[in-house]
Amino acid sequence: MRVVALVPGGIGDQILFFPTLDDLKRYYPNAQLDVVTEPRSKAAYRVSQSVNEVLAFDFKDRNSLADWGNLVGTIRDREYDVAITVGQSWLVGLFLWLTGIPTRIGYQGKAAGFLTHSVPLKSSQYAATVYHDLLQPLGIDTPTPELGVNVPKPDIEWGQNEQKRLGVNETGYVLIYGGSSWVSPTKAVDAIYPLENWQEIIEDFQRKQPDLPIVLIQGPNDEAFVRSLRVLSPKIKVTAPEDTGKLAAMIAGANLMLSNESAPLQISVAVQTYTIALLGSTETAKVLPNSDKFLGIKSPTGKVADISPQVVLTKVWGG
């Protein structure tokens, strides 16, 4: 069986889709699973254990009919048996119909008329479960598996060497991600936590746990944020993983992760690191599974900046 999944969105969205792919592979171990995603999100599949090939297509770009036609041709040539789409656009539904794929699965809505099977979109659920519901037409109606990633061995070794470079391999460390590199563009403005708030949290850690280093994750576009926070908190350390595998390796080694709503947050869940998420308008239940290891703090105003550092520290020290 050959399956193609159309999964727009960022790296975090792809990680949340992993349980769907993993379960599909578990039920159909000989299936070829391919994914079509945005160019910015291809990097997520470095840590996927189920996907054979990743095709890039910018769903949010102003694509011409020729662009869509080229994608239709590419998909048709591969002779897929099943297509799964997480989008509800009628254009994507039409595109799938034009590919001639015999089994086309998506959510009820605008695209449903072009699909062979549609399932209700229960958007109040945990996001990974929302995706996993798309497997019901294939006879898979089991509970959603936990998020999981497969970190390549060279990335694990890089993480171990990076911990030694930072001098944290013996002590353990707390990780912070507060940048914007891996944040959805639609949430970037409201996802940034003020520097002075991070400073207050870091200083509290350094008073109560002086031997536990604080390590800041620097993404590709986070130089200004990291530079400014190091001015306020000179003793923090910085790591800049080059890809998702190395990022996952560093997060897996941490004692605790503090993060805004981002791809590193979902990777932290996937590697089972204790995690505190600073959320704006998003409900905790939509982005975090029900577990004592993962705590969400939702802003009272919908903006992360309005979460008090004391509220965060209460979660840290009081659970």
Side-chain angles (χ1 to χ4, degrees), residues 200-201 204-205 208 308-318:
E200 187 173 335
I201 291 168
D204 193 75
F205 264 105
K208 293 178 178 175
S308 162
Q310 194 54 50
V311 170
V312 178
L313 291 167
T314 298
K315 287 285 188 182
V316 169
W317 305 120

Side-chain angles (χ1 to χ4, degrees), residues 26-45:
R26 184 163 66 90
Y27 276 82
Y28 298 97
N30 296 322
Q32 162 135 353
L33 305 184
D34 296 345
V35 170
V36 181
T37 191
E38 295 169 37
R40 65 189 174 107
S41 302
K42 283 188 69 174
Y45 292 92

Side-chain angles (χ1 to χ4, degrees), residues 146-219:
E146 293 182 340
L147 265 61
V149 294
N150 183 39
V151 183
K153 185 177 179 182
D155 293 341
I156 295 173
E157 293 172 349
W158 179 91
Q160 292 169 342
N161 291 330
E162 180 72 349
Q163 290 174 34
K164 291 178 182 177
R165 182 188 73 83
L166 295 169
V168 301
N169 56 309
E170 300 291 342
T171 60
Y173 53 97
V174 173
L175 267 182
I176 288 176
Y177 183 70
S180 59
S181 294
W182 295 299
V183 175
S184 167
T186 60
K187 297 180 179 179
V189 174
D190 292 337
I192 301 304
Y193 200 49
L195 291 168
E196 58 272 19
N197 289 13
W198 281 123
Q199 179 188 16
E200 187 173 335
I201 291 168
I202 290 167
E203 289 177 351
D204 193 75
F205 264 105
Q206 291 171 339
R207 282 194 301 270
K208 293 178 178 175
Q209 294 283 348
D211 297 326
L212 188 62
I214 307 293
V215 179
L216 201 61
I217 299 172
Q218 178 175 309

Side-chain angles (χ1 to χ4, degrees), residues 44-124:
Y45 292 92
R46 181 180 177 88
V47 292
S48 170
Q49 58 187 353
S50 299
V51 171
N52 295 90
E53 189 172 356
V54 183
L55 308 176
F57 185 78
D58 196 343
F59 293 95
K60 295 180 180 178
D61 196 9
R62 293 182 177 180
N63 298 296
S64 66
L65 288 176
D67 294 327
W68 283 103
N70 289 336
L71 185 59
V72 168
T74 299
I75 298 296
R76 286 182 70 96
D77 289 345
R78 292 166 183 261
E79 298 182 342
Y80 291 109
D81 304 291
V82 178
I84 299 171
T85 176
V86 306
Q88 292 183 282
S89 162
W90 70 269
L91 186 58
V92 173
L94 173 62
F95 155 74
L96 285 180
W97 178 72
L98 291 172
T99 64
I101 297 172
T103 300
R104 304 182 298 277
I105 301 169
Y107 296 112
Q108 293 173 3
K110 296 177 181 178
F114 297 105
L115 305 174
T116 59
H117 302 79
S118 60
V119 301
L121 175 62
K122 301 176 182 177
S123 56
S124 61

Side-chain angles (χ1 to χ4, degrees), residues 1 3-7 13-28 33 35 45 48-51 82 84-86 105 107 126-138 140 142-148:
M1 183 169 71
V3 181
V4 62
L6 279 62
V7 192
D13 298 299
Q14 311 307 310
I15 301 293
L16 285 162
F17 194 70
F18 279 13
T20 299
L21 294 166
D22 294 344
D23 234 8
L24 193 53
K25 195 70 171 179
R26 184 163 66 90
Y27 276 82
Y28 298 97
L33 305 184
V35 170
Y45 292 92
S48 170
Q49 58 187 353
S50 299
V51 171
V82 178
I84 299 171
T85 176
V86 306
I105 301 169
Y107 296 112
Y126 176 41
T129 300
V130 174
Y131 291 149
H132 193 261
D133 285 348
L134 290 167
L135 296 182
Q136 292 174 4
L138 298 176
I140 303 173
T142 51
T144 307
E146 293 182 340
L147 265 61

